[in-house]
Amino acid sequence: MDHGFGSELPRKHSSTPHRPPARYVVLIDSGGSTVVRLFLENRTVAAEFDAGAEEASRLTQGLVPIRGATAPEWDHALEGHSAEERAAAEVYTLPI
């Protein structure tokens, strides 16, 4: 008889593989505000958030950016951004 008292048993651990880690951090202007976009090794978007967030400075701390994301490998990943936005973007490569 369960009346909702006591603690729940923890769920069984899932043995599914973890998501791959983010490899690139791109700071790019998007319609007048700067956003941070995280990309996997294959340049698939992993996350996006406002560049004013505290996490943005923590992610890039101690890393040197490459100016511009105009190389062909960024064409599909950043197709929604203008050429000017891509040229001004800062691309950080995260150590794995």
Side-chain angles (χ1 to χ4, degrees), residues 29-96:
D29 185 61
S30 181
S33 64
T34 305
V35 295
V36 174
R37 299 186 75 190
L38 299 177
F39 292 92
L40 303 178
E41 182 75 38
N42 64 1
R43 290 178 176 75
T44 302
V45 176
E48 181 175 328
F49 54 92
D50 185 78
E54 184 179 338
E55 289 82 3
S57 62
R58 286 186 184 176
L59 278 171
T60 59
Q61 187 174 11
L63 299 176
V64 178
I66 296 172
R67 179 64 79 173
T70 56
E73 59 265 18
W74 289 106
D75 287 347
H76 182 67
L78 299 172
E79 65 188 354
H81 295 277
S82 69
E84 294 82 20
E85 290 172 342
R86 289 180 58 187
E90 294 179 4
V91 180
Y92 296 86
T93 302
L94 297 173
I96 294 183

Side-chain angles (χ1 to χ4, degrees), residues 2 18 27 34 61:
D2 182 18
H18 295 283
L27 272 71
T34 305
Q61 187 174 11

